[in-house]
Amino acid sequence: MKFDDLDLKMRIYETAPDRCVVPNMYMVARLDGRNFTRLTKETYAFEAPFDEKFRDLMIETLKHLMNCGFKVIYGYTESDEISLLFDLNENTFGRKHRKYTSILAGEASAKFSSLLGGMGVFDCRIAELPNAELVVDYFRWRNEDAYRNALNAHCYWRLRQEQLNSSQATRQLENLSVAQKNELLFQRGINFNDLPNWQKRGIGAYWKPYSKEGLNPVSGQNARVERSALYIDLDLPMRENYSQMVSSFLGAQ
């Protein structure tokens, strides 16, 4: 059998399962660290419940993903996860699922591992959202999940510092309301509202326009040129203000 015939015959088994995101559908990629609980608490013993070195590793990984060949208009990270909102007209690789998931997981894993000096692996999935309202809801969901996780983590690790084991600390927090968890921390000298916002709300990354002096290559005269720079936001808003912020990125497309 000639190579061309063999190639055509076997290529079908690679491409037949290809699934592409249809046009005018918003795409959001979510990457999660694999076995990061073990990595952060046992292998490298990062500070609990939050560690600035780990935070910075996630920020640098997020920045890398927003510059690795896809048009990403907003990025968000909390804990060991990263979410990426693509431009509505992003069409790289014909919007094939397998290309986005494999490339993004590989890029994130490689970047994080090189920064860490050890192995850190991410998986990736693509959410297909049919309208802007659901995009806003998605990021609102992750933003509020960050708040819930931060409150639980601070309570849990404060109890662990009191010599409770994992099961005892978990049981003590079961069925406590948000107000009761805040009170638990307050009784131990911690005002949850005073903690850094990046812990409670996550971290955003988006493009900010700026202008600078440049040289017009045709006229040889000085001229102002428009550029954009990636901005890392450690002080994200919450609730409706955050929804409006995400909406503004969609409206700017």
Side-chain angles (χ1 to χ4, degrees), residues 108-127:
S109 301
K111 181 63 176 180
F112 186 90
S113 296
S114 67
L115 295 169
L116 180 66
M119 183 176 293
V121 178
F122 290 83
D123 63 29
C124 180
R125 74 205 78 170
I126 300 292

Side-chain angles (χ1 to χ4, degrees), residues 167-228:
S167 298
Q168 291 169 331
T170 300
R171 282 198 301 270
Q172 187 161 330
L173 293 176
E174 286 178 355
N175 302 319
L176 292 186
S177 66
V178 170
Q180 289 171 325
K181 291 174 182 176
N182 272 278
E183 181 62 25
L184 183 152
L185 292 176
F186 191 75
Q187 290 175 356
R188 290 158 174 80
I190 300 173
N191 186 332
F192 187 69
N193 291 329
D194 292 339
L195 294 173
N197 283 337
W198 65 267
Q199 296 184 12
K200 300 178 292 184
R201 305 176 185 182
I203 299 163
Y206 45 89
W207 302 97
K208 273 190 171 184
Y210 70 96
S211 60
K212 60 178 290 187
E213 285 289 337
L215 185 68
N216 187 314
V218 177
S219 66
Q221 297 179 336
N222 289 333
R224 296 204 68 81
V225 294
E226 298 299 320
R227 296 287 186 267
S228 62

